[in-house]
Amino acid sequence: MIFRKFQDIDFNNFPVVIFGSGPAGMTVALELEKKNISSVIIEAGESEYSEDSQDQYNGKIIGDNIADLSSSRLRQLGGTSGHWGGWSKPMEAYNFKNWPIKKEDLDPYNTKTCSILNIKNQFKKTKLNNYFNQIEFKYSTVRFAEKYKTYIEKSKKIHLILNCQLSHFEGSEKKIQSAICLFNNSSKKIKSKYFILACGGIENSRILLWTKEKNGSLINKNLPVGQYWMNHPWIISGIGLINKKKLKSKLNDQFIDYDGPLHFAASKNLIEEKKILSAAIYMNAKEDTKLYKEIIKDILCIAPEYGKKIAHLIFKKDLKCGNIFMNIEEPPSKNNRIKLDPHERDKLNIPVVNLFYNKSKESLLAAKTFLEEFGNFCIKEDLGRIAAKENIYNLDDFKNMGGYHHLGGTNMGINKSISVVNSKLKVHDINNLYIAGSSNFTTGGYTNPTYTIIQLSLRLADELHSKLNT
Ligand SMILES: Cc1cc2nc3c(=O)[nH]c(=O)nc-3n(C[C@H](O)[C@H](O)[C@H](O)COP(=O)(O)OP(=O)(O)OC[C@H]3O[C@@H](n4cnc5c(N)ncnc54)[C@H](O)[C@@H]3O)c2cc1C
């Protein structure tokens, strides 16, 4: 059911209140419904895009350039899934090394995750050599508002309130007593047994920081709320050519030939042997022809015979040729963090976000090492040629074209001095507050985050189910 008036809801009937209707929050509500548990979703935005709502997402970035905080998320029903790219895949097992859970804890949720995202549960991986795998992404076209709005309207177990913003929590003795929400210029107190914060990878930290400021004793003051914030730099790391036919014959029937670009990821061996962060590259199926003419011209100058061969292969469409796009992992750093602006407030009188962010040399090193080793592999197997961009090769800098994945800030862990939630996603030292979303990620890996967010939300619904049954 969708409610237009606040007083229509009797919150005593709802053991769970969820803040945010993006992939994280909506998944929790949908899964609780399957377990016969009623929930209310409180959504700050409207059912569609509105500039007024979006303005509430403005914030300041202090440090290196990254996609601005308003355009990199959507404050509306369905959240940022309203304009996401849909690239989906589970994280690599090795990326869970410092997490308090393992990949196997999330694998049982694969079927349900794929069904939510309307994708096939098949993510092939083929070993190229000790250092690289060919990997497969699936492309989801699901926009959560489009897929689920009518469903929620008819649901008896999911109640949704739009245009209602969570401001902060109140409570004492390790318990949230109520959530303070702003609706139609008035403030409302919401009570429930369990509260789920699912407002995205920036707001989750912002709301906890504001709660900390409003009531000093509710949240353990030593928890690093807002810290260890990360994203996935998305860069053009070089140019190159891959002879698809040759690669196909090398890999035989293991070659992943689906209607998409070629994806290659670092293996656990590369990461451990070279002590680098993880990364993956992407070579587009349809590249700008101007670019590959330039590549051939360059090759003809330095290696005329090889250049002729390449030109011939491109003509026969055997080559993937052009820019090498790369997604790189970032290290969780204490200094990359979300803080509340000490002076500026938004129109609801909540401090605006300051994101302190600097790119990491470690990410740059991962990009360079990946390309060098991948280039060596291509030469050794005579599969093509790879050239790193000069700034990457010289470890100078990289230009981040993305910054759309907001990770960390309420990261998962056992040690309370370096984490905010436990392995069950419960905020340390508060008995009834859980967090859903990529702010919980302990490390970021290279994989786009939403698939993992949905797995974690399904697992959270299981946890709430067992709590409510005991
Ligand atoms: C351009 C772009 C492309 C992307 N492409 C991909 C991709 O290809 N693959 C991938 O995996 N990921 C991608 N992402 C990231 C993906 O969109 C996010 O990972 C995902 O939407 C996060 O889900 P969420 O529910 O945690 O947060 P969100 O989707 O951001 O939802 C948060 C919800 O909380 C609401 N809210 C915020 N504050 C409050 C408040 N105070 N009170 C109540 N409600 C509140 C918001 O209105 C929103 O509905 C992309 C992102 C962008 C911007």
Side-chain angles (χ1 to χ4, degrees), residues 168-335:
H168 61 280
F169 295 104
E170 285 182 347
S172 59
E173 290 167 8
K174 301 188 170 187
K175 197 173 170 210
I176 304 291
Q177 303 291 356
S178 50
I180 308 302
C181 294
L182 307 168
F183 183 79
N184 272 350
N185 299 325
S186 66
S187 156
K188 309 276 177 190
K189 271 191 185 197
I190 294 180
K191 293 193 183 297
S192 188
K193 266 193 176 141
Y194 293 105
F195 297 89
I196 317 298
L197 186 53
C199 293
I202 302 277
E203 297 303 293
N204 284 351
S205 293
R206 183 190 188 193
I207 289 157
L208 285 191
L209 288 169
W210 187 222
T211 299
K212 248 176 143 178
E213 237 180 86
K214 293 284 247 184
N215 3 199
S217 60
L218 178 59
I219 296 177
N220 177 341
K221 66 177 184 347
N222 298 320
L223 297 186
V225 176
Q227 295 177 33
Y228 305 109
W229 192 88
M230 302 160 279
N231 84 107
H232 288 135
W234 172 241
I235 65 174
I236 295 182
S237 57
I239 50 172
L241 310 151
I242 296 279
N243 186 333
K244 188 176 160 188
K245 206 167 165 193
K246 257 195 172 171
L247 182 64
K248 232 170 160 173
S249 81
K250 176 180 159 57
L251 301 178
N252 295 316
D253 54 351
Q254 296 302 304
F255 178 77
I256 305 169
D257 200 358
Y258 68 109
D259 185 23
L262 289 176
H263 288 281
F264 304 104
S267 73
K268 187 173 179 230
N269 284 336
L270 179 68
I271 283 155
E272 288 185 354
E273 276 181 33
K274 304 285 172 188
K275 297 191 177 24
I276 55 166
L277 295 167
S278 57
I281 60 170
Y282 154 106
M283 293 181 77
N284 212 339
K286 295 183 193 96
E287 265 294 354
D288 179 2
T289 47
K290 252 202 244 146
L291 181 74
Y292 61 67
K293 276 184 193 150
E294 271 171 34
I295 299 175
I296 295 169
K297 239 178 24 203
D298 284 352
I299 297 176
L300 280 168
C301 286
I302 47 169
E305 279 316 303
Y306 194 71
K308 274 187 222 156
K309 197 170 126 192
I310 297 276
H312 182 65
L313 289 171
I314 287 179
F315 188 63
K316 285 191 356 201
K317 296 197 165 53
D318 274 347
L319 282 180
K320 294 280 174 186
C321 168
N323 284 321
I324 301 175
F325 294 85
M326 188 176 236
N327 242 358
I328 346 171
E329 183 173 16
E330 287 196 322
S333 152
K334 228 179 144 116
N335 299 327

Side-chain angles (χ1 to χ4, degrees), residues 102 183 253 338 345 422 435 438:
K102 300 274 154 264
F183 183 79
D253 54 351
I338 294 160
R345 296 196 171 194
N422 68 13
I435 300 196
S438 49

Side-chain angles (χ1 to χ4, degrees), residues 26 30 34 77-78 81 111-119 140-153 454:
M26 216 183 264
L30 291 165
K34 291 204 178 101
L77 181 65
S81 78
T111 311
K112 282 183 179 169
T113 301
C114 289
S115 141
I116 289 171
L117 291 175
N118 293 355
I119 53 176
S140 168
T141 53
V142 169
R143 312 257 174 239
F144 278 66
E146 244 169 54
K147 181 169 175 185
Y148 291 112
K149 187 178 168 208
T150 314
Y151 180 86
I152 291 176
E153 254 161 5
I454 293 174

Side-chain angles (χ1 to χ4, degrees), residues 19-26 42-45 53 57 71-89 164-167 197-201 203-204 206-207 350 404-407 436-439 447-451 453:
F19 302 93
S21 70
M26 216 183 264
I42 305 278
E43 167 54 49
S53 168
Y57 263 172
S71 65
S72 59
R73 50 205 178 128
L74 282 177
R75 193 172 176 277
Q76 64 186 71
L77 181 65
T80 313
S81 78
H83 70 186
W84 76 315
W87 289 38
S88 302
K89 142 184 204 314
C164 180
Q165 152 125 7
L166 166 66
S167 165
L197 186 53
C199 293
E203 297 303 293
N204 284 351
R206 183 190 188 193
I207 289 157
I350 299 172
Y404 296 129
H405 302 162
H406 300 157
L407 320 170
S438 49
S439 61
T447 314
N448 303 48
T450 311
Y451 190 98
I453 291 174

